[in-house]
Amino acid sequence: MIINNNSFYVPKNLELVHSGEDYFARLETIIREAQFQIHMQMYLFENDTTGKRIVTALKEAALRKVEIYVLLDGLGSLSFPAEVIKELKYSGVNIRFFAPLFSTYTFYLGRRLHRKVIVADAKVALVGGINIADKYHGSATQKPWLDYAVQLNGEIAKPLQQLCHDIYFKKSHFKNKQIKSAFRIQQDTSVRILQNDWLKGKNEICDGYIKSIRHAKKEIIIVGSYFLPGIRIIRALKKASKNKVIIKLILSGKSDLPLTRRATCFLYGKLLSYNIELYEWNESILHGKVAVVDGNWSTIGSFNLNNLSSYGSLEMNVEVLSSSFSTVFQEHLNEIISQCQRITPESLKTKTSIMTKFINLVSYAVTRIVELVVTYTPYKRFYN
């Protein structure tokens, strides 16, 4: 057990991880200390300083005869150099791409490997929303993109390794395979591994959000990069607001996808009409996908509140039911809020001209059309 500054007892085998050196130091340590097998599945792996650091660790582990299986998304890691892949394979690393953008028979688009997970020796795992790239690490002059992960130690890593194994080796039975996904860590703390892969009938993360929002009693805090929720999430938030639940949304003030940010801004008026508090993070790019409800339920992972995550991508979140963990996390998010710019009906009216409203509307319409196209494409591929 460890004790944080607020005197809450948090299980040592369940640790909140922040983007920056915190995440990459843990990732490197996990690789260097692995003895038997490593599974890594990433959306984005860049060949920059941070990426080269992890490549070196993987090569060294392979030379120690550790079995290594790396699965990268065919679109997110499209620019990963072929020569680095050859070097990894020569060192003994098994590496392949999920849904290459072009294949013999079809054009892959919507169904992406968006989860970010590494498991070693079925004993330790990192699950979250952080990709391998300099922008998630930051530098002396630039803050890392704001994001989170969870480090899991112990028995819970075993089914994670099996899941990664089944996906890497394209096991056709993993759709219906039952694994143990819920673990009680201590008396007041339980953890579940949740997946979203709509084409395979898995909607666990989305359903978890909706259930928790609907049953909220006091407060909801959501960190939402690329925040364009579907109608079920919107209705759940509206109902929670009517039930006098305090709702706080931490959204992107800066974004790597300006069109998506504009589309989110189009929703501001509606969200404010539901008495939802809006906060924009401007210190760095916001990439986090987390939530805390009533200081008891938390979710952390790769799942964005939009249709791409709901109906297109393979996603993974860790759901934590724990007053100790969630209260500490909630206090951290309130510290983040204290550094944000609050959007009120008055400030929104002041900063939004007729032209801005029009641009936001067009951005919203275009984004929704793009989402429809790329989430429809997997159906064509899947059923052909």
Side-chain angles (χ1 to χ4, degrees):
M1 304 283 287
I2 57 174
I3 305 175
N4 80 335
N5 294 332
N6 300 300
S7 298
F8 287 102
Y9 290 82
V10 180
K12 192 173 182 179
N13 49 358
L14 170 65
E15 299 178 76
L16 178 66
V17 182
H18 301 259
S19 53
E21 181 61 15
D22 182 30
Y23 177 83
F24 291 102
R26 290 171 186 264
L27 175 58
E28 191 173 35
T29 297
I30 288 172
I31 296 170
R32 294 194 185 282
E33 293 183 353
Q35 297 179 13
F36 307 109
Q37 189 176 90
I38 295 171
H39 273 277
M40 176 186 287
Q41 298 186 353
M42 285 283 161
Y43 176 73
L44 173 66
F45 197 142
E46 292 192 350
N47 189 43
D48 50 21
T49 301
T50 301
K52 290 175 181 176
R53 171 182 173 183
I54 302 306
V55 165
T56 298
L58 289 170
K59 288 179 181 178
E60 291 174 353
L63 292 175
R64 299 194 314 268
K65 305 303 179 183
V66 178
E67 291 183 22
I68 303 176
Y69 302 94
V70 177
L71 183 62
L72 304 179
D73 183 71
L75 176 61
S77 296
L78 183 63
S79 63
F80 196 72
E83 60 269 22
V84 178
I85 295 173
K86 290 180 181 179
E87 291 174 8
L88 285 166
K89 289 182 176 180
Y90 181 79
S91 298
V93 176
N94 300 283
I95 181 170
R96 74 171 185 87
F97 287 90
F98 177 90
L101 198 57
F102 295 96
S103 72
T104 305
Y105 301 105
T106 188
F107 175 64
Y108 290 87
L109 190 60
R111 193 165 184 260
R112 311 290 0 140
L113 180 81
H114 194 243
R115 59 180 58 176
K116 295 90 177 174
V117 55
I118 180 170
V119 192
D121 297 338
K123 292 181 179 179
V124 59
L126 276 175
V127 180
I130 304 170
N131 291 293
I132 299 175
D134 283 346
K135 52 198 174 190
Y136 296 91
H137 183 276
S139 66
T141 58
Q142 191 170 19
K143 288 185 177 182
W145 288 16
L146 183 64
D147 209 339
Y148 302 92
V150 176
Q151 181 167 331
L152 303 167
N153 305 310
E155 183 186 1
I156 195 170
K158 188 174 182 179
L160 272 173
Q161 185 155 308
Q162 186 62 54
L163 281 171
C164 290
H165 176 277
D166 289 349
I167 293 175
Y168 185 90
F169 288 100
K170 303 181 182 181
K171 299 291 185 179
S172 60
H173 63 277
F174 83 90
K175 171 184 176 181
N176 299 314
K177 188 171 184 178
Q178 296 297 315
I179 66 159
K180 183 179 180 182
S181 61
F183 295 80
R184 182 170 293 279
I185 294 178
Q186 64 181 43
Q187 187 174 1
D188 76 331
T189 301
S190 61
V191 175
R192 284 204 304 156
I193 303 301
L194 302 182
Q195 300 179 79
N196 239 76
D197 182 1
W198 199 76
L199 286 176
K200 298 290 186 179
K202 296 182 184 297
N203 305 295
E204 298 162 354
I205 306 173
C206 186
D207 290 346
Y209 263 102
I210 292 171
K211 180 180 178 181
S212 296
I213 292 171
R214 286 176 176 172
H215 289 87
K217 301 297 182 184
K218 297 178 181 178
E219 184 178 63
I220 299 168
I221 303 178
I222 295 174
V223 178
S225 59
Y226 321 125
F227 183 80
L228 283 172
I231 189 64
R232 291 202 301 159
I233 295 287
I234 291 290
R235 286 174 177 171
L237 289 171
K238 182 178 180 181
K239 181 180 179 181
S241 175
K242 287 183 177 180
N243 291 335
K244 307 302 181 183
V245 176
I246 297 172
I247 305 173
K248 301 176 182 179
L249 300 183
I250 304 174
L251 305 172
S252 300
K254 298 178 180 178
S255 178
D256 59 317
L257 298 177
L259 186 72
T260 302
R261 181 183 178 277
R262 285 282 191 178
T264 300
C265 289
F266 175 74
L267 298 175
Y268 278 9
K270 176 184 289 188
L271 295 170
L272 289 169
S273 72
Y274 298 156
N275 295 316
I276 294 174
E277 299 178 19
L278 304 183
Y279 300 90
E280 287 187 344
W281 172 258
N282 292 289
E283 299 297 313
S284 62
I285 300 294
L286 177 68
H287 195 256
K289 313 101 167 38
V290 304
V292 179
V293 176
D294 290 341
N296 186 57
W297 177 90
S298 302
T299 186
I300 302 164
S302 64
F303 183 86
N304 288 302
L305 289 172
N306 59 36
N307 285 344
L308 290 178
S309 283
S310 295
Y311 303 112
S313 302
L314 278 71
E315 309 281 4
M316 181 178 289
N317 274 39
V318 176
E319 179 186 84
V320 182
L321 188 62
S322 167
S323 57
S324 55
F325 180 91
S326 298
T327 299
V328 172
F329 194 19
Q330 178 177 291
E331 291 186 357
H332 165 75
L333 293 180
N334 278 318
E335 290 179 6
I336 293 295
I337 285 173
S338 70
Q339 302 172 53
C340 290
Q341 177 184 2
R342 183 167 182 179
I343 305 298
T344 64
E346 294 75 23
S347 66
L348 181 64
K349 185 176 181 180
T350 300
K351 66 187 292 188
T352 307
S353 64
I354 294 177
M355 180 58 68
T356 302
K357 290 180 180 179
F358 176 74
I359 293 173
N360 292 347
L361 171 61
V362 172
S363 299
Y364 181 81
V366 170
T367 303
R368 285 301 195 194
I369 291 171
V370 170
E371 284 186 342
L372 178 64
V373 171
V374 300
T375 55
Y376 174 72
T377 302
Y379 299 96
K380 300 296 290 181
R381 168 66 184 93
F382 188 71
Y383 290 111
N384 287 339

